[in-house]
Amino acid sequence: MIRSARALSIAAVAAGLTMTTLFAASSANAAGVNYVALGDSYSSGVGAGSYLSDSGSCKRSTNAYAYLWKNAHAPSSFKFVACSGAKTGDVLNSQISAVDASTTLVSISIGGNDAGFADTMQTCVLGTDTDCVNAVNTAKNYATGTLPGQLDKVYSAIKSKAPNAHVVVMGYPHIYKVGGSCIFGIGDTKRAAINGAADALDGVIAKRAANAGFAFGDVRNIFNEHEICGSLTTWLNSTTLPVDESYHPKAAGHSGGYLPVFSAS
C-alpha cells in the first residue's frame, strides 16, 4: 500500500508538471496568433449592430464572433475582412490577400450567397408554399452540384497562402423552429423547407472543409430553441429594417452561439 501511494504521488506530481508545461505552451502560442476573419454577412456580423465606421456596406460588427474572440484573446494581429453579401468569388478576389504565410488562425463562413439564400428567403416570405419549396430545391441543387467546386477553390487558396494555419469553417443555423411558438409569419411547410436548405448547405460545407483538413463549426445544435419561433430568447432577426439584417444572427447569436462553437473548434 505504501509503494502504491508513493507511485500515485509521483504520478500526480508528473501530471501536474505536464499540465503546467502545456498551459505555458498554450499561453505562448496564444500570444503569437495571427488571426484573419474571412467570409460573408454571417461572419461580418450583419444584424448584430455596432458596425465599425470604416467597414461601410460590409457591415463588420464589434459584436461579431470574430471580433469578440479577438477582444477575449488579444491575438498578435487581427484582420477582419468578412463582408456582407460576399460570395466565394469575392473571397478569392478581395479577401484572400489578407491571408499570408504568417497567418495562424482563419475563420470563414461562405456559400450561402452563392446558393441564393437571400432570394430564396424573399420567395418563401412573399410567395406560396409551392414557390418556396421550388426555390429551396433550386438552392439545394446548386449547393450539391456547383458549390463544392467553388468551396474547394477557396479552401485551396487559404491552404496555399497559409499552410500552417488552423482554419475553422463556420456553418449556418436553422432559421426557424418548426412547430414553434409563432402565431404570425410563414407556416411550417416553408419553415421546414428553409431549414432543409440550411441542412443541405451545411452538409456540403462540412464535407468540403473536412476534405481540406479544416475544422467545421456546426452551430445548428447550439441555436436549438433560439431560432425564430423557438421557446428561448431568439438569436436571429426575423423580417426587420434594414431589410438586409433580416434572418441574420443578433448580437446574442454571435456571443451565445457562434463564439462558443468557433472557440471549441
Side-chain angles (χ1 to χ4, degrees):
M1 290 295 293
I2 294 175
R3 281 187 67 184
S4 298
R6 184 170 180 272
L8 287 171
S9 177
I10 293 172
V13 171
L17 289 172
T18 300
M19 290 302 294
T20 300
T21 301
L22 288 173
F23 178 79
S26 176
S27 298
N29 290 337
V33 170
N34 296 310
Y35 175 25
V36 179
L38 307 170
D40 56 21
S41 54
Y42 273 69
S43 286
S44 71
V46 171
S50 187
Y51 303 115
L52 295 166
S53 59
D54 62 353
S55 66
S57 61
C58 285
K59 286 193 168 182
R60 287 187 278 269
S61 171
T62 60
N63 293 319
Y65 72 88
Y67 206 90
L68 296 176
W69 193 93
K70 182 269 295 186
N71 286 345
H73 294 83
S76 295
S77 68
F78 176 63
K79 299 176 184 177
F80 190 16
V81 295
C83 188
S84 175
K87 297 181 179 181
T88 52
D90 296 308
V91 174
L92 294 172
N93 293 330
S94 60
Q95 296 186 20
I96 198 68
S97 58
V99 179
D100 58 34
S102 69
T103 303
T104 59
L105 177 64
V106 176
S107 64
I108 183 172
S109 62
I110 202 70
N113 292 317
D114 294 79
F117 175 78
D119 290 341
T120 299
M121 287 301 303
Q122 182 175 339
T123 298
C124 287
V125 171
L126 300 178
T128 65
D129 285 359
T130 300
D131 292 336
C132 177
V133 171
N134 288 340
V136 165
N137 286 338
T138 298
K140 284 183 177 180
N141 289 336
Y142 187 96
T144 56
T146 303
L147 186 60
Q150 294 172 315
L151 293 175
D152 287 347
K153 291 178 182 177
V154 171
Y155 300 161
S156 177
I158 294 172
K159 182 177 289 188
S160 176
K161 291 181 71 67
N164 299 314
H166 178 66
V167 182
V168 182
V169 180
M170 301 299 292
Y172 299 94
H174 286 158
I175 301 297
Y176 289 99
K177 179 68 177 181
V178 177
S181 60
C182 291
I183 298 175
F184 303 104
I186 66 175
D188 279 348
T189 297
K190 292 180 178 180
R191 293 172 189 167
I194 291 167
N195 287 352
D199 288 334
L201 192 58
D202 281 337
V204 169
I205 293 170
K207 186 175 188 303
R208 305 324 296 178
N211 287 351
F214 298 163
F216 176 66
D218 192 340
V219 298
R220 286 171 291 181
N221 284 340
I222 200 169
F223 268 78
N224 186 39
E225 297 298 343
H226 291 285
E227 313 98 326
I228 299 169
C229 304
S231 61
L232 302 175
T233 303
T234 302
W235 285 352
L236 290 150
N237 291 297
S238 186
T239 304
T240 188
L241 293 175
V243 175
D244 65 323
E245 298 190 2
S246 301
Y247 314 112
H248 284 81
K250 301 177 180 179
H254 282 271
S255 62
Y258 270 84
L259 179 61
V261 172
F262 171 63
S263 298
S265 299

